[in-house]
């Protein structure tokens, strides 16, 4: 018997989602399709009057701008954003973790301060845009001449950006930049760090307190070194000393509860909230049950579903912090004459997503069903176990940068359109929401979650497959993005404040 090419996500929904192309005249849940429905797009299950709510995932995703007949294609031409929220239903239990799940371990690096690393890189970090070229030259030279002598070092990583000067020395912009860079200088996946400044910038090296921090944490300015070429030469001597220390590190068994994973989605489509995101949510539940941490972010992409997270908050204080982040974003976009519903990109819409409410309801599925234990500001150090939320933009490189600065030693990234991404020093897993994407971009995708839509896999089963791969990757298995070489250009701190 052929599998039905559609799925209804909740008993209260008035639309179904096509899992394969539906031809006009085809029968869907007892009604006839009136137009062609592309995979990932929505078909009305009943007549929906003008101005009525369209319901998917059991939640309103907007209101109709025209009368919709049963069998009609429901998308941007007849559905628009309206700030509706339906009452959150009772929270279902998280994926049940077995005693064996909780007792699992991975092969990682145990740092001197007790933290657990999944990689053993050395970072070359720019304090300012003016030192980026030198940082890249240093990393290139170190990878060419030093790395071959140290099998235990994963590489020398340039962490460069376009900020650090032409900005106020106080205020949100500098605070966020400093917090982000400080998070990277102490990141557990960096066994050692060399920070390079120019010398006259606003973001001075002295702000990072690395002097006397030990042999593996060093810094100097290009101007003090006598110029660019001499700075590279000086760096080689420093890095040889750091490498001699870092290269002795060995992987040891570490409880899985010491993994901190950042949850990301980009280039989403109509399948993301049906396949990859809920499957990743299962893995996040298993990790949380084992004592680990999953960081959900992208505040502008949970808008419309924040009430579902709030209902899972462990305290009124956690719920209040989440409400404050949402209110800040509403004011922020209004100040710039924008709307949070501008968020679904053209690629998102081609994939079947119509409004930010629809996108957000699928996006929060990455967080599974565990209680929300804490809310953090951008790039703040994450210390609470379980599911936590970090305030970040929806733009993936900026969001992941904040998560890594906060301590994520891994990233899991779902995509339906084919986002390409890496985030050194944190290994980044890519999960495709549909099998067509996996087939066309297999060299970039680590797991095909599209088999959920075809009925060949379950959300729970795929989630456990992701959980297994998280552990294997934490133990040293390279991700597809690592094999290609992603990660040197995806460090993008959130840019706030005036450019002076």
């Amino acid at each position: 018997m052929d599998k039905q090419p559609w799925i209804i996500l909740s008993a209260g929904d008035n639309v179904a989602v096509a899992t394969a192309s539906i031809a006009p005249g085809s029968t869907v849940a007892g009604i006839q399709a009136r137009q062609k429905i592309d995979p990932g797009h929505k078909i009305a299950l009943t007549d929906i009057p003008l101005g009525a709510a369209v319901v998917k995932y059991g939640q309103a995703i907007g209101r109709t701008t025209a009368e919709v007949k049963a069998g009609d294609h429901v998308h941007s031409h007849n559905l628009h954003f309206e700030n509706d929220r339906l009452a959150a239903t009772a929270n279902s239990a998280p994926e049940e973790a077995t005693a064996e799940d909780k007792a699992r371990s991975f092969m990682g690096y145990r740092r001197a301060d007790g933290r657990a690393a999944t990689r053993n890189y050395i970072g070359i970090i720019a304090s300012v845009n003016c030192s980026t070229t030198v940082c890249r030259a240093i990393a290139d030279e170190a990878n060419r001449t030093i790395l071959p002598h140290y099998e235990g070092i994963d590489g020398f990583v340039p962490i460069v950006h376009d900020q650090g000067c032409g900005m106020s020395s106080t205020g949100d912009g500098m605070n966020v930049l400093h917090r982000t860079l400080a998070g990277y200088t102490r990141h557990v996946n960096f066994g050692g760090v060399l920070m390079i400044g120019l010398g006259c910038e606003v973001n001075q090296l002295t702000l990072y307190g690395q002097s006397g921090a030990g042999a593996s944490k060093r810094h100097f300015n290009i101007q003090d070194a006598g110029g660019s070429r001499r700075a590279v030469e000086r760096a080689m001597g420093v890095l040889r000393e750091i490498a001699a220390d870092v290269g002795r590190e060995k992987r040891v068994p570490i409880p899985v509860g010491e993994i901190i994973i950042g949850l990301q989605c980009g280039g989403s489509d109509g399948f993301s909230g049906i396949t990859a995101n809920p499957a990743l949510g299962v893995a996040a539940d298993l990790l949380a049950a084992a004592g680990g941490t999953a960081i959900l972010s992208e505040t502008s992409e949970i808008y419309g579903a924040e009430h579902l997270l709030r209902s899972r908050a462990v305290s009124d204080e956690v719920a209040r912090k989440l409400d404050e982040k949402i209110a800040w974003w509403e004011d922020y976009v209004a100040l710039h004459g924008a709307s949070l519903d501008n968020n679904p990109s053209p690629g998102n819409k081609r994939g079947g997503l119509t409004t930010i409410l629809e996108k957000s309801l699928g996006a929060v599925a990455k967080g599974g069903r565990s209680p929300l234990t804490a809310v953090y500001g951008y790039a703040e150090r994450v210390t609470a176990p379980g599911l936590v939320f970090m305030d970040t933009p929806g733009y993936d490189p900026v969001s992941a940068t904040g998560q890594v600065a906060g301590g994520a030693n891994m990233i899991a990234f779902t995509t339906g359109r084919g986002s390409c991404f890496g985030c050194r020093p944190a290994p980044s897993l890519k999960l495709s929401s549909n099998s067509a994407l996996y087939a066309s971009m297999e060299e970039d995708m680590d797991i095909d979650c599209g088999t959920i839509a075809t009925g060949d896999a379950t959300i729970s089963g795929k989630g456990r497959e992701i959980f297994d791969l998280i552990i294997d990757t934490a133990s040293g298995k390279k991700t597809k993005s690592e094999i290609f070489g992603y990660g040197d250009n995806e460090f993008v701190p959130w840019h706030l404040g005036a450019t002076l």
Side-chain angles (χ1 to χ4, degrees):
M1 181 177 176
D2 292 338
K3 296 170 184 173
Q4 63 187 30
W6 48 271
I7 185 171
I8 300 171
L9 301 176
S10 175
D13 291 359
N14 55 15
V15 292
V17 180
T19 57
S21 184
I22 297 174
S26 300
T27 300
V28 175
I31 57 99
Q32 281 195 335
R34 288 161 54 89
Q35 299 96 26
K36 178 186 176 185
I37 311 296
D38 289 329
H41 284 249
K42 298 173 288 296
I43 180 172
L45 296 174
T46 185
D47 293 346
I48 309 174
L50 170 64
V54 174
V55 181
K56 179 182 174 184
Y57 303 109
Q59 293 289 319
I61 63 171
R63 291 188 180 273
T64 56
T65 57
E67 183 180 356
V68 173
K69 296 292 187 183
D72 277 349
H73 179 211
V74 179
H75 197 35
S76 303
H77 62 286
N78 56 13
L79 169 63
H80 76 153
F81 168 79
E82 191 163 313
N83 201 358
D84 291 330
R85 306 289 192 277
L86 298 183
T89 56
N91 290 315
S92 53
E95 182 77 12
E96 185 173 354
T98 66
E100 289 78 12
D101 294 330
K102 297 175 183 179
R104 294 186 68 174
S105 63
F106 70 99
M107 296 299 293
Y109 297 96
R110 178 66 74 189
R111 300 303 188 195
D113 62 3
R115 293 181 299 155
T118 63
R119 294 293 184 268
N120 194 33
Y121 285 111
I122 294 175
I124 317 299
I125 300 180
S127 68
V128 64
N129 174 259
C130 309
S131 61
T132 59
T133 298
V134 167
C135 284
R136 290 191 187 279
I138 291 169
D140 288 345
E141 182 68 10
N143 282 318
R144 187 179 66 84
T145 62
I146 301 176
L147 186 61
H149 300 287
Y150 294 95
E151 185 177 333
I153 298 175
D154 289 307
F156 294 83
V157 181
I159 299 296
V160 300
H161 54 96
D162 66 352
Q163 299 185 51
C165 208
M167 60 192 300
S168 173
S169 60
T170 59
D172 290 342
M174 179 55 76
N175 290 341
V176 166
L177 177 63
H178 179 263
R179 194 161 64 234
T180 305
L181 288 172
Y184 271 71
T185 65
R186 66 169 178 261
H187 195 277
V188 69
N189 284 0
F190 282 140
V193 164
L194 173 60
M195 196 169 194
I196 303 293
L198 178 61
C200 56
E201 63 271 16
V202 172
N203 188 35
Q204 289 284 299
L205 292 179
T206 52
L207 297 172
Y208 295 87
Q210 291 189 74
S211 295
S216 63
K217 305 286 185 181
R218 308 279 285 277
H219 69 225
F220 67 81
N221 286 316
I222 296 168
Q223 291 167 351
D224 295 335
S228 302
R229 181 181 58 79
R230 290 179 181 176
V232 175
E233 292 172 352
R234 178 173 171 178
M236 291 306 104
V238 174
L239 290 176
R240 287 188 181 93
E241 295 175 3
I242 293 176
D245 182 33
V246 175
R248 290 194 290 266
E249 297 281 348
K250 303 292 183 184
R251 290 186 181 270
V252 297
I254 296 175
V256 71
E258 297 189 50
I259 293 175
I260 303 174
I261 192 162
L263 311 175
Q264 287 289 320
C265 60
S268 300
D269 69 352
F271 290 109
S272 294
I274 301 170
T275 61
N277 288 353
L280 179 54
V282 167
D285 283 342
L286 295 174
L287 182 63
T293 303
I295 308 173
L296 184 65
S297 297
E298 302 173 296
T299 314
S300 58
E301 296 187 5
I302 67 154
Y303 187 71
E306 75 283 349
H307 61 301
L308 304 181
L309 288 174
R310 187 194 304 115
S311 70
R312 291 155 51 189
V314 297
S315 69
D316 290 342
E317 177 67 10
V318 170
R320 182 187 62 78
K321 286 184 177 180
L322 184 63
D323 288 341
E324 289 175 349
K325 301 303 182 187
I326 294 294
W328 184 92
W329 274 91
E330 289 176 330
D331 292 342
Y332 180 60
V333 296
L335 180 66
H336 294 279
S339 164
L340 283 168
D341 191 46
N342 289 340
N343 181 273
S345 69
N348 295 153
K349 292 186 176 183
R350 285 194 296 272
L353 296 176
T354 310
T355 68
I356 185 58
L357 303 181
E358 180 181 12
K359 185 176 182 181
S360 294
L361 289 163
V364 297
K366 300 192 303 294
R369 292 169 289 181
S370 298
L372 182 67
T373 62
V375 174
Y376 293 93
Y378 184 83
E380 284 186 346
R381 191 168 187 173
V382 173
T383 57
L387 174 66
V388 305
F389 185 81
M390 177 181 284
D391 180 35
T392 76
Y395 184 41
D396 312 313
V398 178
S399 181
T401 294
Q403 291 177 331
V404 174
N409 51 23
M410 286 191 64
I411 296 289
F413 192 122
T414 71
T415 183
R417 304 296 295 177
S419 294
C420 298
F421 186 77
C423 198
R424 295 202 294 178
S428 304
L429 290 169
K430 299 299 293 298
L431 317 176
S432 69
S433 70
N434 63 83
S435 296
L437 168 61
Y438 187 83
S440 66
M441 296 182 65
E442 186 174 352
E443 292 182 347
D444 290 278
M445 300 295 130
D446 296 284
I447 286 186
D448 175 17
C449 297
T451 52
I452 296 170
T454 61
D456 296 310
T458 65
I459 290 174
S460 178
K462 188 62 67 170
R464 287 188 167 275
E465 182 182 339
I466 295 169
F467 185 57
D468 289 341
L469 185 56
I470 287 171
I471 294 172
D472 290 344
T473 302
S475 299
K477 180 178 179 178
K478 287 189 179 297
T479 66
K480 299 287 185 66
S481 64
E482 287 180 294
I483 292 169
F484 186 82
Y486 277 104
D488 289 355
N489 300 298
E490 287 76 17
F491 176 76
V492 188
W494 192 0
H495 201 312
L496 290 171
T499 300
L500 304 176

